[in-house]
Amino acid sequence: MIDSFYNSIFGEIKKVSPEELRDSCFSTAREFADFLRTSLGPQSMQKVMVSSGGMYTATSDGKAILQRFDLAEFKAKHPVARLMVELAKTQDYEMGDGTTSTVILACELLKGAEKLSRAGLHPNVIASGYMMAMEKAMHLIDTIAVRLEGVEMLRNIARTSLCTKYSTYENAGLENVVSEAVECITDDSRVNGTRADPKNVHIFKRMGGDAVETGLYRGFILGKGVMHPNMPREKKNVKIAVIDVPLTLKRYDGVFGDKTDYAVAVNSMEEAFDMKKQERIMLDGAAGKILGAGAEVIISRKSIDEGLAQRLASKGIMVVHQVPTREDLEGVARAVGAKIVSDLQNMKPEFLGSVKRIKEWKYEHRTLVVIEGSGEVQSVSILIRGGTHQMATESYKAVYDAVSTTCSAVNSGLVLPGGGATEMFLAAELRKYAIGVPSKKQLGVVAFADALESIPRALSDNAGMDTMLTLMQLRERHSKGSHNTGLNSITRRITDTMKEGIVEPLLTKKLILKGANETARTVIESDDIIYGDVLQHRIDEELKQLGESAATE
Ligand SMILES: Nc1ncnc2c1ncn2[C@@H]1O[C@H](COP(=O)(O)OP(=O)(O)O)[C@@H](O)[C@H]1O
Ligand SMILES: [Mg+2]
C-alpha cells in the first residue's frame, strides 16, 4: 500500500484520491504501531540500526529509532511517517520522555479511526468523538493524580523511567544519582513555574568503565583542561567571563573569520616587529576589557592566542578555550549565572558570573575542569561511563530521559500510577462516559478508550505475559474501582503499581495524550494532499502581506 502511494506521489501519477490517501495513511499508521510497540517498556526488544557505512547500533529508545527513521529514504517520505517523527520530536523537546508511548497511541487512534471509517462514520464525527474523549480524559486523569512527596517518590520516578532501558541491577545506582541530581537543582522557593530545570543537570559521557560507575558531581564538567601550563589549576570565589569570540589573529579561528587567508607584505624586520607589536596591542586591548570588568577566569568557545595566554598566566588568570560545543558554553554560563559575550567592546561587569570553585581534574587519561557556580540553584553533572561508545550513548539516553521525567514530576508536583494503570483507568471511565453520549460520537469515544488499552497490551506482550488474560483481569479490577492496578513487567504480575513504585509524572502523561490526539486528528481530518514548496512560499508571501496591511490599518 505504501509502495503504491509512494509511487503515485513520486512516480508517474501525480494525484491520489481521498480514499487512496486515507488508506495509505491508515496502513502507514498500522505499520508504525506494529514496528514501535515492541520497543515499549522494561522488557522491550531492541532495534538494530545499520548506517550506510556499516556501523551498527542497537537501541530500544523510541526517539533514537524515529530519528533514524527521519533519515531513512523510503517510508519516511510518507506524510504520516513524518508527522509521527515530528510528534516524537515535540514530546522529546517538551518532556524528554514518553516518545514511544505518544507515537504508539497516535497510531492506535488512527487504527481505530480506520475501523470506524470503514463502517461508514464520517471522519469529522470520529475526530469530534476523539476530542470529547480527550477533554474528558484530561479531567479524569487529575482525579487519580497523587502529590509527589519525599525522596523515595523521586527515586521511584527515576527508577520507572530507567528500568525501561536497564536491568534492575544497573538501575539501582543510577536511580539514586538521578534523584539526587534533581534534588540538588530544585529551587523550592519557586511555587509556580519551573522548580527543576533539566538543563541544570549536565550529562557528561565518557567511554571506559562500567555503567554502574556513573557518578554525580556538584558543578559543571567541561571536557577541556586549563589552557596554559603556567596558569593556576584551581580558583575559589572569583568572577568569570564566558565569551564566544576569538582572541587570536590566526588564520582559521581569528578575527579574520573562518577560512579567510591573509597575507601582508613587509619590507624590513622593523616593519615585521611593528606588526607583531600592533597585534599584541590589539589582543591585549581586547583581553583588557575582560580583566577590566573584574574577571579572573575566562571560558571561551573560540581560540585564544598562545602569547596572550602566557601574558594572562603571568597575571594569575585562568583560561579554558576551545570549549567543545555551544551547549557546553551555555551550560557553563547557566551554572555561574553569566551572560555569554560575543562583542568585547560591550563587556560589562554585570555580564560576569561567579564561581565558588573551579578546578582542573585529571580523570584517567583526560583533563577536565569542574566549575561550581555560587548561584542559588546548583548545577550538577552526571558522569556516565560505558565500556564502548555505544554503551555510553545508550546510558546517556536513559539518564537524559530519567532526569527530564523526574524534573517534570517535580514541576507539576503530581504523579500517576504507571505500568498501564492510568490508561486502564481512563479506558474504563471513558467507556462509562460513552454510554451517555447521545450521538455517533459515542463510537469515537469508545475507540479512544480502545486505543488507550494498547499501552498495557504492548507492555504485557513485551513482558511475555498472557495478554488476553492480563487485559481481562485488569478490566475486572478497574471495574471495582481499583484504579492503581497495572502490570509490573519485571515480576510479570498484575499489581498496585503506585504501591510498587512504578510511577510517572502527570505532565508527561497529559502531553502524551494531547500530542497523540492532535496528530491523529490532523490525519483523520485530511482528505487531500498538495505537494510543492512553491505553494508554501506563496502562502508565506501572502501571510506576510496580510500582516503588513493589517499593521498599516
Ligand atoms: N516496571 C514496570 N512495569 C510495567 N511497566 C513499566 C514499568 N516501568 C515502566 N513501565 C512503563 O513503561 C512505559 C514507558 O516505556 P518507555 O520504553 O520508556 O517508553 P517512552 O518512550 O514512552 O517513555 C510507561 O508506560 C511506564 O508506565
Ligand atoms: Mg521512557
Side-chain angles (χ1 to χ4, degrees):
M1 181 54 76
I2 297 174
D3 303 19
S4 73
F5 177 82
Y6 179 84
N7 285 337
S8 63
I9 297 295
F10 300 100
E12 311 93 58
I13 318 156
K14 290 282 175 223
K15 185 94 178 89
V16 282
S17 68
E19 291 72 34
E20 257 185 303
L21 171 69
R22 202 157 283 137
D23 279 351
S24 76
C25 289
F26 289 144
S27 65
T28 307
R30 244 184 286 126
E31 277 190 37
F32 235 89
D34 291 344
F35 171 74
L36 214 57
R37 64 200 303 279
T38 55
S39 303
L40 186 77
Q43 307 275 20
S44 56
M45 301 295 284
Q46 306 218 26
K47 304 266 182 240
V48 171
M49 301 189 293
V50 185
S51 72
S52 51
M55 281 285 290
Y56 103 79
T57 40
T59 184
S60 67
D61 183 56
K63 180 179 52 204
I65 296 167
L66 288 167
Q67 264 167 1
R68 203 49 81 95
F69 228 85
D70 204 11
L71 302 174
E73 265 296 299
F74 168 58
K75 287 181 189 170
K77 286 213 166 117
H78 193 284
V80 169
R82 297 222 72 95
L83 265 176
M84 295 304 161
V85 173
E86 284 307 312
L87 171 62
K89 276 190 198 159
T90 313
Q91 179 73 27
D92 178 50
Y93 178 76
E94 297 281 338
M95 290 293 152
D97 200 9
T99 43
T100 320
S101 307
T102 194
V103 174
I104 292 180
L105 195 58
C107 292
E108 290 291 334
L109 286 171
L110 287 174
K111 275 168 77 176
E114 180 180 21
K115 273 190 211 146
L116 294 178
S117 156
R118 288 199 196 291
L121 213 62
H122 192 276
N124 283 343
V125 179
I126 305 172
S128 308
Y130 280 1
M131 201 59 219
M132 275 181 90
M134 177 68 205
E135 278 165 11
K136 184 72 184 166
M138 287 296 123
H139 290 297
L140 287 167
I141 207 167
D142 286 334
T143 62
I144 57 160
V146 170
R147 279 241 135 257
L148 171 104
E149 266 158 14
V151 186
E152 191 50 41
M153 190 76 111
L154 269 192
R155 225 173 276 145
N156 288 342
I157 291 160
R159 186 188 320 116
T160 305
S161 179
L162 285 165
C163 77
T164 59
K165 311 281 185 294
Y166 277 111
S167 70
T168 349
Y169 158 69
E170 291 166 323
N171 198 349
L174 283 174
E175 68 197 41
N176 292 335
V177 167
V178 170
S179 55
E180 257 180 63
V182 175
E183 246 194 307
C184 284
I185 58 138
T186 301
D187 182 359
D188 280 324
S189 62
R190 287 192 171 189
V191 183
N192 295 317
T194 317
R195 289 170 63 220
D197 186 350
K199 284 196 187 130
N200 288 328
V201 181
H202 174 51
I203 308 166
F204 187 84
K205 64 170 192 254
R206 273 277 151 265
M207 260 162 68
D210 206 318
V212 279
E213 286 174 31
T214 294
L216 177 70
Y217 298 86
R218 275 177 199 277
F220 190 94
I221 300 180
L222 206 50
K224 285 290 282 186
V226 173
M227 180 187 174
H228 196 276
N230 295 348
M231 283 177 179
R233 261 47 206 163
E234 183 175 358
K235 274 194 168 274
K236 284 183 184 164
N237 302 319
V238 284
K239 290 280 172 197
I240 178 170
V242 183
I243 63 170
D244 194 2
V245 56
L247 280 174
T248 175
L249 298 174
K250 282 228 187 81
R251 193 175 136 197
Y252 285 111
D253 203 7
V255 289
F256 292 98
D258 278 354
K259 297 188 175 67
T260 312
D261 211 350
Y262 74 100
V264 183
V266 285
N267 298 321
S268 63
M269 280 307 278
E270 280 73 31
E271 266 185 48
F273 281 136
D274 200 39
M275 229 186 76
K276 273 274 155 217
K277 202 169 143 198
Q278 290 305 324
E279 261 184 37
R280 193 179 153 152
I281 292 172
M282 237 173 101
L283 291 174
D284 282 0
K289 298 264 179 212
I290 306 172
L291 304 190
E296 285 184 43
V297 179
I298 302 172
I299 307 284
S300 173
R301 168 102 172 89
K302 304 269 168 64
S303 299
I304 290 182
D305 183 74
E306 276 291 325
L308 175 64
Q310 206 159 353
R311 295 193 290 281
L312 289 172
S314 67
K315 290 183 181 148
I317 307 294
M318 185 195 237
V319 180
V320 179
H321 77 153
Q322 296 170 347
V323 166
T325 63
R326 172 79 190 182
E327 286 79 55
D328 281 338
L329 197 73
E330 285 166 5
V332 174
R334 239 189 336 266
V336 298
K339 189 170 181 292
I340 298 175
V341 177
S342 344
D343 175 10
L344 290 177
Q345 294 306 320
N346 288 330
M347 188 75 192
K348 292 190 184 120
E350 58 265 33
F351 294 163
L352 301 183
S354 322
V355 270
K356 206 192 274 174
R357 186 170 181 225
I358 176 163
K359 191 177 184 319
E360 192 179 75
W361 179 38
K362 296 267 185 237
Y363 182 75
E364 290 173 2
H365 308 298
R366 290 291 302 257
T367 313
L368 313 170
V369 164
V370 188
I371 307 162
E372 246 187 275
S374 54
E376 295 247 306
V377 175
Q378 286 283 335
S379 183
V380 294
S381 296
I382 296 178
L383 180 68
I384 307 261
R385 311 291 311 277
T388 60
H389 176 69
Q390 149 138 21
M391 277 161 78
T393 308
E394 283 305 296
S395 303
Y396 175 92
K397 285 186 215 141
V399 172
Y400 169 86
D401 281 10
V403 168
S404 309
T405 305
T406 316
C407 285
S408 155
V410 170
N411 291 332
S412 74
L414 293 164
V415 293
L416 293 165
T422 301
E423 288 82 0
M424 284 311 294
F425 162 77
L426 290 176
E429 291 299 314
L430 285 177
R431 285 197 186 102
K432 281 187 216 157
Y433 167 69
I435 299 168
V437 177
S439 69
K440 285 184 187 171
K441 288 185 207 165
Q442 187 188 103
L443 298 169
V445 178
V446 174
F448 196 99
D450 292 344
L452 282 168
E453 282 189 356
S454 65
I455 300 290
R457 193 178 290 131
L459 289 171
S460 161
D461 276 347
N462 294 346
M465 294 165 74
D466 180 339
T467 301
M468 204 184 281
L469 184 66
T470 306
L471 275 185
M472 293 308 118
Q473 288 175 342
L474 284 173
R475 280 188 189 171
E476 188 261 340
R477 299 272 283 270
H478 278 267
S479 73
K480 291 181 180 154
S482 166
H483 60 251
N484 287 341
T485 309
L487 56 109
N488 185 338
S489 306
I490 294 162
T491 58
R492 297 187 173 82
R493 297 240 300 265
I494 288 175
T495 175
D496 183 324
T497 50
M498 187 61 96
K499 266 198 199 137
E500 291 213 0
I502 303 173
V503 279
E504 292 171 296
L506 175 73
L507 276 183
T508 310
K509 195 63 93 189
K510 277 192 168 176
L511 200 74
I512 288 174
L513 297 179
K514 277 190 196 153
N517 180 47
E518 269 165 35
T519 306
R521 280 184 45 235
T522 310
V523 178
I524 296 166
E525 288 175 342
S526 312
D527 74 343
D528 214 334
I529 190 161
I530 304 162
Y531 270 86
D533 297 332
V534 180
L535 203 62
Q536 185 58 46
H537 170 72
R538 234 187 274 160
I539 293 168
D540 289 345
E541 281 280 298
E542 275 168 24
L543 282 177
K544 206 171 135 201
Q545 277 172 11
L546 260 177
E548 277 166 10
S549 59
T552 48
E553 266 167 25

